[in-house]
Amino acid sequence: MRFYRLLQIRAEALLAAGSHVIILGDLNTAHRPIDHWDAVNLECFEEDPSRKWMDHLLSNLGCQAGSHTGPFIDSYRCFHPKQKGAFTCWSTVSGARHLNYGSRLDYVLGDRTLVMDTFQASFLLPEVMGSDHCPVGAVLSVSSVPAKQCPPLCTRFLPEFAGTQLKILRFLVRLEQDPVFRQSALQLSNQTPVQMRQNKARVRSTRSRPSQAGSSRGQKNLMSYFQPSSSRPQASPNLELPSLGTLVTPKTSEEDMMANVVEGRAKASQAKDEKEVRTSFWKSLLGGPLPMPLCGGHREPCVMRTVKKPGPNLGRHFYVCARPQGPPTDPSSRCSFFLWSRPG
């Protein structure tokens, strides 16, 4: 409501200065019952403070001649005063957009003179996807007239939109400096470019180089970083290796080969039995998630939701009908099934 009041004060000030004003975008309020899918079930719908604010901001009679309460006109209702189902926002969680179960929260409002004289159409674009809102628009018959100068509150004058690169000093805070640091900084700032280059050369010459510092002991070999293993016996240089001709592979008898085959098959069978036992044990212990319950209206598997509203049930899981949300009279929409999930 504070934002609404500030918006109205700003708009009326521009009107008083002789300018035309257009307010467009998401106002987050469904003005009339025709703009909301479930207005009849909402308590005190027209007594809501945001709707009362829109009553005072907008003209009740649209584009028709006669008295009006507010200086602005809802352009869509001006051209479509009785259009039902003209919604611009839907719940993405419940899939309500499939059945057009939403509300109209986005507007193109204009001052009465501007709408009456220049507006030719006002429309919604519910077929444009990508958000829980859809675009809205209007057609005006106007010609652009260049201004002599930009308004003083134009966005281009704001630092964050000026389009110029900010200096890093804008992000730093000046601190109090001690006298010694201030004196040394002053001396450095008074040096000439030649003196600064000489100081840099002097520092570079006094800095020791790693190659010169290690020249006294010589450059190490890579092998010096590895220690010989004491556990492995070192081969004698005089040791003669046997020739390939002297290596003889012992022959395995047919009985030994068959015994090895039988033993291998027995081990494989035992390992398979142990694996099956472990698998059946874990399956009996961890039965996995329970099947989804069936909703009462359609006898179809439900979907699980989580309570996100602060309160004693925050974080609890529950089951509802998986169909998209829609009017209660539509049999293809979500039924009223509700079931709490078992405690985790």
Side-chain angles (χ1 to χ4, degrees):
M1 294 306 301
R2 293 173 60 187
F3 169 77
Y4 285 157
R5 287 192 290 267
L6 179 61
L7 176 64
Q8 184 174 1
I9 291 173
R10 179 63 182 149
E12 292 179 349
L14 291 173
L15 287 177
S19 299
H20 291 295
V21 179
I22 296 177
I23 302 174
L24 70 159
D26 179 14
L27 292 181
N28 208 34
T29 298
H31 185 207
R32 296 298 185 191
I34 195 176
D35 299 321
H36 198 283
W37 54 266
D38 200 21
V40 293
N41 295 326
L42 297 180
E43 297 182 1
C44 304
F45 179 85
E46 296 184 355
E47 298 299 322
D48 183 79
S50 60
R51 296 185 178 93
K52 284 191 171 183
W53 171 79
M54 293 193 71
D55 289 339
H56 292 88
L57 183 72
L58 300 178
S59 171
N60 291 331
L61 301 179
C63 289
Q64 300 176 3
S67 61
H68 61 280
T69 58
F72 288 89
I73 290 179
D74 181 356
S75 64
Y76 185 81
R77 285 301 171 205
C78 176
F79 292 95
H80 312 278
K82 297 182 180 180
Q83 179 65 44
K84 296 182 179 180
F87 303 142
T88 65
C89 182
W90 306 264
S91 172
T92 56
V93 176
S94 61
R97 191 167 188 170
H98 296 284
L99 299 175
N100 194 26
Y101 199 57
S103 56
R104 191 169 70 98
L105 308 181
D106 305 83
Y107 300 86
V108 179
L109 312 179
D111 64 85
R112 188 177 182 86
T113 304
L114 183 66
V115 174
M116 294 288 292
D117 295 343
T118 64
F119 273 60
Q120 294 183 340
S122 184
F123 54 88
L124 314 178
L125 297 175
E127 67 277 3
V128 178
M129 300 295 182
S131 170
D132 56 338
H133 290 253
C134 77
V136 299
V139 179
L140 284 73
S141 176
V142 295
S143 58
S144 300
V145 179
K148 295 181 180 180
Q149 59 182 4
C150 294
L153 295 180
C154 184
T155 310
R156 64 175 299 180
F157 296 129
L158 301 181
E160 57 268 32
F161 298 108
T164 58
Q165 185 176 4
L166 300 179
K167 295 183 178 180
I168 194 172
L169 294 178
R170 294 285 299 273
F171 301 94
L172 303 180
V173 180
R174 184 181 298 276
L175 299 178
E176 293 295 333
Q177 300 177 355
D178 55 85
V180 177
F181 181 80
R182 187 183 300 108
Q183 182 65 23
S184 60
L186 182 61
Q187 294 176 357
L188 289 175
S189 62
N190 293 333
Q191 288 182 350
T192 62
V194 177
Q195 293 175 338
M196 294 177 67
R197 286 195 296 269
Q198 292 176 353
N199 292 335
K200 290 182 180 180
R202 189 179 302 111
V203 172
R204 191 181 302 110
S205 62
T206 57
R207 189 178 302 164
S208 61
R209 296 183 179 179
S211 59
Q212 295 177 354
S215 60
S216 59
R217 57 178 181 273
Q219 184 176 4
K220 289 187 176 181
N221 192 348
L222 182 62
M223 298 302 297
S224 63
Y225 293 95
F226 297 91
Q227 297 293 335
S229 176
S230 59
S231 60
R232 299 178 61 183
Q234 296 183 358
S236 175
N238 300 326
L239 182 63
E240 296 182 359
L241 296 176
S243 61
L244 294 177
T246 60
L247 296 178
V248 180
T249 304
K251 297 183 179 179
T252 304
S253 63
E254 185 177 355
E255 291 79 4
D256 295 340
M257 293 179 61
M258 292 299 297
N260 293 336
V261 171
V262 172
E263 183 180 359
R265 290 181 178 179
K267 290 182 179 180
S269 177
Q270 182 180 1
K272 183 178 180 180
D273 294 340
E274 292 179 355
K275 183 178 180 181
E276 291 180 353
V277 171
R278 289 195 300 267
T279 303
S280 60
F281 169 74
W282 284 112
K283 284 185 177 180
S284 62
L285 185 63
L286 305 174
L290 295 177
M292 287 290 179
L294 304 181
C295 65
H298 309 98
R299 306 304 300 171
E300 297 174 353
C302 297
V303 292
M304 178 182 288
R305 304 295 187 195
T306 305
V307 179
K308 298 182 179 180
K309 184 178 181 180
N313 293 322
L314 179 64
R316 288 189 64 182
H317 302 290
F318 60 93
Y319 300 99
V320 294
C321 180
R323 293 198 177 191
Q325 189 178 13
T329 57
D330 190 349
S332 63
S333 64
R334 171 190 298 179
C335 63
S336 59
F337 179 82
F338 179 89
L339 177 66
W340 285 113
S341 174
R342 65 178 183 177

